[in-house]
Amino acid sequence: MSTVSQSSEPTQQNDSSRPPRSLWRNASFLTLLGGQGISLTGTQVTQVTLPLLLLAMTNSPAIAGVVASIGSLSLLLFCLPAGALVDRWDRKKVMIVCDSLSTLGLVSLAVALLLNRLTLVHIALVAFCNESLGIFFSLANTSALPAVVDRRQLHQALSVNEVITSSASTLGPALGPLLFSLGRAIPFIADAASTAISVCSLCFIRVPFQQERAAPPGALLHDIKEGMGWLWQHRLIRFLALVTFGLMAPCSGYLLIIDVMARQMHASDAALALILASGGIGSIVGALLAGPLYRAFGLTRMIVGSVWVWALSWLLFAFAHNPFMLGVANSLGFVIVPIYMVQQLSVRTALTPDHLRGRINAVFRLIVFGSQPIGLAVNGLMLQYAGPYATIALLFIPQIILAVCVLFQINFLRQMEKSLTAS
């Protein structure tokens, strides 16, 4: 564990008299980026394969949704304490330990499949443990990025990181169904190998992932309350948290929806792979557009416009009646995701002090994804009894209500944008 100073900043971040070193010459950033890109690809393989495995074992979208939701329960249990602990501990060590344990869980799934001993309980247990480890890892990773790059490059670094994430979202879903068709254990073996590579890459990074703190942390509950209070009192970050929750909650079961629609269309494994990969292609386009669009339109227009495009693009799934149109809908719908996410993450990261980043990211994540277990279960039930197209129509209602509500906050956003520009 590390105990360190709130006031201490890396030299490269304090020295504003000269331009920062190019990101492409920052070995620590490139190593972190490469390792996480490979690991995220493996994670995407598992995320798209797990619903296929559950559907193959149970032939029930409702059961698949319930089992998948069990893994998401870890967010409700561990997110807040994880944020406080990430602010106390060495973030790099947290990431290494989490990826190492995740590798073991994935190997256990593969071995059980090869021995024909896999059960729904085993799947739920590994999903829950890996989701729990993923919370610690993700909070440490997000909190660590400002320590690896100059703060003037933060928006650029987040945009590049989003391109890598989107690329993983293209390659992983494309590989998942294909690997699954070759053998049910193969996707999990591939994911285990990717997390092992991530562990090795982290070991080569020498830059510390946190600043030093002048005073030791308080009691865990006190630290959690401090993070919750700070976020709730910060009007802009609180607003972004609530808006992001409103966007993400209705879409939590989109993978299950796509799987069910593709099965009804009698799409082949190769076709399903292309459908899922199309979302990653859209994400790459969106990630590349995020920076130029922000510079052209500013925070207010980007937030309001992103919310409306997000809501309306969801309706594209209602017009997808063959595998090709389903892939087109998935691709176009994903363009807006990184555009919005880069904006809100850039603002949140820039405004949050280093010693609070783990906690603020944890509270933000809990607000945004806390409904995911219920959302996955409800999506599964809706698919089971109402079908995919009725499910899409019902899930559009809260999204369009949110878009209308955001219109009434334009003056507030303009005031926040002016204060950000002034500072």
Side-chain angles (χ1 to χ4, degrees), residues 175-358:
L175 288 174
L178 295 178
L179 294 176
F180 187 72
S181 67
L182 296 175
R184 292 184 177 181
I186 293 178
F188 305 106
I189 295 173
D191 192 7
S194 74
T195 55
I197 291 172
S198 172
V199 170
C200 294
S201 69
L202 289 167
C203 292
F204 284 100
I205 300 175
R206 295 289 177 257
V207 176
F209 281 9
Q210 65 280 316
Q211 300 167 24
E212 297 192 354
R213 298 183 65 172
L220 188 64
L221 184 58
H222 171 271
D223 284 1
I224 292 173
K225 289 181 177 178
E226 183 184 12
M228 294 174 68
W230 191 94
L231 183 145
W232 202 250
Q233 291 169 15
H234 199 293
R235 293 179 62 197
L236 179 56
I237 296 182
R238 181 182 67 205
F239 172 81
L240 291 174
L242 294 175
V243 169
T244 309
F245 160 77
L247 292 173
M248 296 294 292
C251 306
S252 56
Y254 84 95
L255 277 176
L256 195 57
I257 292 172
I258 290 176
D259 286 343
V260 171
M261 292 178 72
R263 289 182 68 182
Q264 290 185 356
M265 297 171 185
H266 305 291
S268 65
D269 289 334
L272 178 58
L274 292 173
I275 291 168
L276 295 172
S278 67
I281 295 172
S283 292
I284 293 173
V285 173
L288 293 172
L289 291 174
L293 286 175
Y294 179 78
R295 290 190 292 272
F297 296 106
L299 179 66
T300 301
R301 291 178 180 175
M302 286 302 301
I303 294 297
V304 175
S306 294
V307 172
W308 272 91
V309 172
W310 187 307
L312 294 175
S313 64
W314 178 257
L315 283 180
L316 293 173
F317 287 104
F319 297 95
H321 295 286
N322 58 62
F324 175 76
M325 291 305 299
L326 184 57
V328 171
N330 195 37
S331 180
L332 294 177
F334 261 96
V335 171
I336 197 59
V337 176
I339 292 175
Y340 172 80
M341 289 300 182
V342 168
Q343 311 315 317
Q344 66 87 5
L345 184 54
S346 297
V347 171
R348 175 159 51 100
T349 305
L351 293 175
T352 305
D354 180 81
H355 72 286
L356 282 170
R357 281 201 182 105

Side-chain angles (χ1 to χ4, degrees), residues 110-169:
V111 170
L113 277 166
L114 291 172
L115 297 177
N116 201 27
R117 296 292 181 87
L118 187 64
T119 64
L120 292 178
V121 173
H122 188 167
I123 294 174
L125 182 62
V126 171
F128 178 81
C129 291
N130 278 12
E131 286 284 347
S132 302
L133 294 168
I135 290 168
F136 280 86
F137 183 96
S138 180
L139 290 174
N141 185 43
T142 305
S143 302
L145 186 60
V148 177
V149 303
D150 188 288
R151 69 169 66 254
R152 291 167 290 177
Q153 297 174 312
L154 188 56
H155 193 283
Q156 181 188 1
L158 288 170
S159 297
V160 173
N161 188 66
E162 193 64 40
V163 172
I164 296 299
T165 301
S166 301
S167 299
S169 298

Side-chain angles (χ1 to χ4, degrees), residues 10 236 369-370 401 421:
L236 179 56
F369 297 109
I401 291 173
T421 305

